Amino acid sequence: MGYNDQYTRVVNLEVQVAGEDLTNDVLKVEERFSYSYCTADTLVKTGAGFLHTVTFSPTDVAATAGTVILYDNTAESGTIMFTYSIPAAALVPVTVIIDASFSTGLYVGFTTTADVAVTLSYR
């Protein structure tokens, strides 16, 4: 770091930036997310955030038909972010990339019974 004529701090590229690996000359960027495993209606997060993925998986041999609805809210109402229909059959695990922001909260609502699990990765 240096100073100019007016004694103002000057930042230049000699200063290590947060996350920078000077030894390998790269800036490291990692996607870090929290996760929540849900089998029933759940308030996952209050306040603003970012939903990365949703994984739907069976908890028994055959799922009960219904839907899983993700809300931008702290309750099972309001703005719907995503809806996934569950067939009354064998359910193969599937992951859906959402990559969307939410502002009020993240709530997952089920109309199926507890034989479907949802794992959400978010921040």
Side-chain angles (χ1 to χ4, degrees):
M1 291 233 251
Y3 292 88
N4 65 14
D5 293 334
Q6 290 79 31
Y7 299 105
T8 305
R9 197 172 182 178
V10 176
V11 177
N12 56 37
L13 291 178
E14 294 174 3
V15 177
Q16 186 173 6
V17 178
E20 187 174 3
D21 181 348
L22 291 177
T23 305
N24 297 311
D25 195 27
V26 296
L27 183 62
K28 295 189 175 193
V29 179
E30 298 177 356
E31 293 188 33
R32 294 189 180 235
F33 299 98
S34 298
Y35 71 90
S36 183
Y37 178 84
C38 310
T39 57
D41 294 357
T42 305
L43 174 58
V44 176
K45 183 179 185 329
T46 300
F50 181 82
L51 178 60
H52 178 52
T53 63
V54 183
T55 301
F56 302 90
S57 57
T59 59
D60 64 14
V61 177
T64 303
T67 57
V68 176
I69 305 170
L70 305 177
Y71 296 92
D72 180 355
N73 204 350
T74 56
E76 194 170 1
S77 62
T79 304
I80 295 174
M81 293 179 62
F82 184 74
T83 300
Y84 189 80
S85 296
I86 307 294
L91 177 64
V92 176
V94 62
T95 298
V96 179
I97 298 171
I98 304 293
D99 282 349
S101 298
F102 53 89
S103 57
T104 306
L106 178 57
Y107 190 94
V108 58
F110 289 79
T111 64
T112 66
T113 59
D115 57 2
V116 174
V118 175
T119 303
L120 302 108
S121 64
Y122 64 94
R123 62 173 183 244

